[in-house]
Amino acid sequence: MNRRSRLWWITALVVSGAGVGYQLSLPESFVFGYASYGWCPGREVSDEVSQRLWAAVEWLPVLWYAGVPAVVLAFAAHWSSARLGRPRAGRVVSRVLAGALLLLYGLDLVAFGVDLALDRSCLEQWGGVEGLRFFLGPDVMPTVAAFCVLAAVRIPKYRVRRVLLSRWFRRGLASVAGLGLLSFLPAGDFSPGPTGTEACEFPQGAEVATGERAFLCGMRRDRMFTMVGDHLALAYGRRMCAAFPHPDIPAYRIAAICPPAAAVVRQEREAEEAAYQADVAAEQKACDEARHRPRIKPLRVVRDRMYTDYGVIESFEAAPDDDTDPFQDGLLDKAQHHGLVATLPGHFMMLSHSDYANCLTAETYRRRPPVEVKGWDRVVEVGYESPAGSIVLMDPMAGEGLPNLAFRGKGHYRIRVHYREPDWEAWTPQHILVMVFPGRGDQVVEHRRPS
């Protein structure tokens, strides 16, 4: 064994050992998701072939641990066969083991290279940068170690030179080079057409867009047929239209160039809109039927059917010289601890269930109104100091709310909040009644607690 061969063997052992260390540094699992609908052949091959390969070598630990056992076994075979005067046997064993490592660990690397050459968006289907580190990173070291093994057992230079000068090798090399050049020339049928995603902007809520351009835009947005000509994508769409209706053909996919599919999509949208309007009417009817009848005449009454993104209805106001951040004053924690309502100077908050509509009624009074608890699940009265004279109840994520309830301007108020739960199974709205009237004091009065 000459000096060059020994250096290659040492490199193979070191690289495979580093591969074991890299595998040990990785987490036990990695979860990722992607929303790419394009076809990435490398990823498809990896999912199908790699799993079968690993299942086949499940009982061959010599190929495990980043290829360290295979490299050690190959070195032992090469060294012992050279000592026994039969170097060819050692080279055969080493090449077989190196080939097994390349097949097992190098397949995914080749597959990823093919995907990246075809469409860079395929990176998403490999889990992005973190996915490459988790899925492909452990394959790099064993693959490099396999090439080092092949370099360590290669035939002497004079034999290589004789092979390179042979006629059949030169002809084969010329053929492979020609085929390689042809493979990198984009054929007309597989070059992308002029329709790109940058020219595919349609207004939200518009009618079903029709026409070839609309169909191609939909395909490009969904990362489908990004590497084929427009005429091939259109031919695919027309074949699907000819087979429509079919349970495996989504109507929205071909609606732009297929009138029957467009009609189905339009009917589905109309049905969804009708169902939504029916729900809105039912919720409004429930709010109207449960309107509060005040015992004394209020100064003002405002009503609204309000939704919340996170179950929070609040009002925030600040004095001219106050730059307090309402999201950092801790009132949300205070309200969640109480369960319904909490206040700070200039900040009022009450909670409800975010999945149900709120039949919200607000009443202002010049004097303290009678306490009403019948029909309510919880009634709580709190004090509130208005530094700027603006009490506007709203969903903070929507930015629109009720009119200003601070009818006396800045000063001290008492706010009484009444809450009635929805019918959780029938999905009826929840009801909230807010009474605002002048009064001092920060004490919290529980007129009715939940049973």
Side-chain angles (χ1 to χ4, degrees):
M1 187 181 299
N2 56 30
R3 181 173 178 272
R4 179 193 58 80
S5 182
R6 287 196 300 270
L7 290 176
W8 281 117
W9 280 117
I10 292 173
T11 304
L13 291 170
V14 171
V15 170
S16 58
V20 174
Y22 181 82
Q23 290 182 2
L24 294 176
S25 68
L26 294 175
E28 294 183 359
S29 62
F30 173 74
V31 180
F32 74 99
Y34 55 86
S36 176
Y37 300 97
W39 182 64
C40 300
R43 185 61 182 174
E44 298 288 339
V45 171
S46 174
D47 291 339
E48 292 292 333
V49 180
S50 293
Q51 294 180 6
R52 297 181 182 180
L53 286 176
W54 278 104
V57 302
E58 184 178 0
W59 303 104
L60 294 175
V62 69
L63 299 177
W64 300 354
Y65 306 109
V68 171
V71 173
V72 173
L73 181 59
F75 172 75
H78 185 245
W79 179 80
S80 60
S81 64
R83 294 294 298 269
L84 296 176
R86 301 176 63 89
R88 184 175 182 179
R91 288 197 296 269
V92 170
V93 172
S94 299
R95 288 168 180 167
V96 169
L97 291 172
L101 291 178
L102 289 175
L103 180 63
L104 186 62
Y105 292 97
L107 177 64
D108 285 349
L109 298 175
V110 175
F112 171 71
V114 171
D115 282 350
L116 201 63
L118 293 177
D119 191 346
R120 292 188 178 182
S121 65
C122 287
L123 178 63
E124 300 175 8
Q125 295 204 23
W126 289 86
V129 177
E130 287 297 319
L132 296 181
R133 177 176 174 270
F134 185 85
F135 293 115
L136 298 185
D139 294 340
V140 175
M141 299 300 184
T143 302
V144 174
F147 282 116
C148 292
V149 171
L150 294 177
V153 299
R154 68 176 183 174
I155 57 180
K157 290 183 178 180
Y158 71 91
R159 294 187 61 184
V160 174
R161 187 180 300 109
R162 186 169 60 186
V163 170
L164 293 178
L165 293 177
S166 63
R167 181 180 301 177
W168 65 267
F169 181 83
R170 294 198 302 272
R171 291 178 178 178
L173 182 62
S175 301
V176 171
L179 291 174
L181 290 175
L182 290 176
S183 65
F184 284 99
L185 293 176
D189 285 347
F190 292 96
S191 59
T195 305
T197 56
E198 66 278 359
C200 299
E201 296 295 335
F202 298 104
Q204 295 292 332
E207 292 293 326
V208 180
T210 59
E212 295 181 352
R213 177 176 172 274
F215 172 76
L216 293 172
C217 284
M219 288 292 182
R220 302 299 189 248
R221 277 198 303 263
D222 293 341
R223 300 293 184 182
M224 296 183 65
F225 299 104
T226 57
M227 298 301 295
V228 302
D230 289 350
H231 66 289
L232 291 180
L234 289 170
Y236 169 81
R238 293 190 179 99
R239 285 197 300 270
M240 288 201 301
C241 182
F244 188 83
H246 191 277
D248 295 333
I249 301 178
Y252 74 90
R253 181 73 70 196
I254 58 174
I257 60 172
C258 186
V264 171
V265 172
R266 191 174 294 107
Q267 291 173 2
E268 291 176 349
R269 291 186 178 181
E270 291 174 353
E272 292 175 357
E273 180 63 23
Y276 171 75
Q277 294 299 335
D279 290 341
V280 170
E283 290 173 353
Q284 189 61 52
K285 182 180 179 182
C287 292
D288 294 339
E289 291 177 348
R291 283 189 176 184
H292 176 244
R293 294 175 175 81
R295 295 185 179 179
I296 63 173
K297 186 177 180 180
L299 182 64
R300 187 180 188 185
V301 178
V302 292
R303 299 181 180 91
D304 190 16
R305 183 177 53 84
M306 181 182 294
Y307 282 94
T308 61
D309 285 342
Y310 297 101
V312 174
I313 300 175
E314 64 181 325
S315 172
F316 176 78
E317 53 180 321
D321 57 346
D322 186 5
D323 58 352
T324 304
D325 185 353
F327 298 104
Q328 302 295 329
D329 60 6
L331 188 62
L332 178 59
D333 294 336
K334 186 178 178 181
Q336 289 175 338
H337 178 74
H338 179 267
L340 181 60
V341 63
T343 64
L344 288 172
H347 198 180
F348 171 85
M349 181 182 294
M350 57 185 177
L351 305 180
S352 63
H353 199 290
S354 61
D355 292 338
Y356 294 79
N358 296 282
C359 295
L360 179 59
T361 301
E363 301 172 348
T364 59
Y365 295 87
R366 294 189 182 278
R367 62 185 179 87
R368 175 185 175 88
V371 176
E372 303 176 37
V373 297
K374 184 179 180 180
W376 298 102
D377 296 310
R378 193 167 187 184
V379 180
V380 182
E381 184 177 318
V382 296
Y384 178 71
E385 180 183 350
S386 174
S390 176
I391 305 176
V392 180
L393 298 180
M394 68 173 67
D395 172 14
M397 304 302 294
E400 296 182 359
L402 302 182
N404 185 11
L405 303 177
F407 62 94
R408 295 185 61 180
K410 60 183 179 179
H412 293 271
Y413 293 85
R414 298 290 291 177
I415 301 178
R416 191 181 300 158
V417 178
H418 308 67
Y419 178 76
R420 181 163 58 247
E421 294 181 352
D423 187 329
W424 303 108
E425 296 181 358
W427 285 87
T428 59
Q430 53 199 336
H431 296 263
I432 299 177
L433 170 62
V434 179
M435 294 180 174
V436 181
F437 51 94
R440 291 184 172 273
D442 296 330
Q443 67 273 19
V444 177
V445 181
E446 295 274 358
H447 293 293
R448 182 161 191 172
R449 299 177 181 272
S451 56

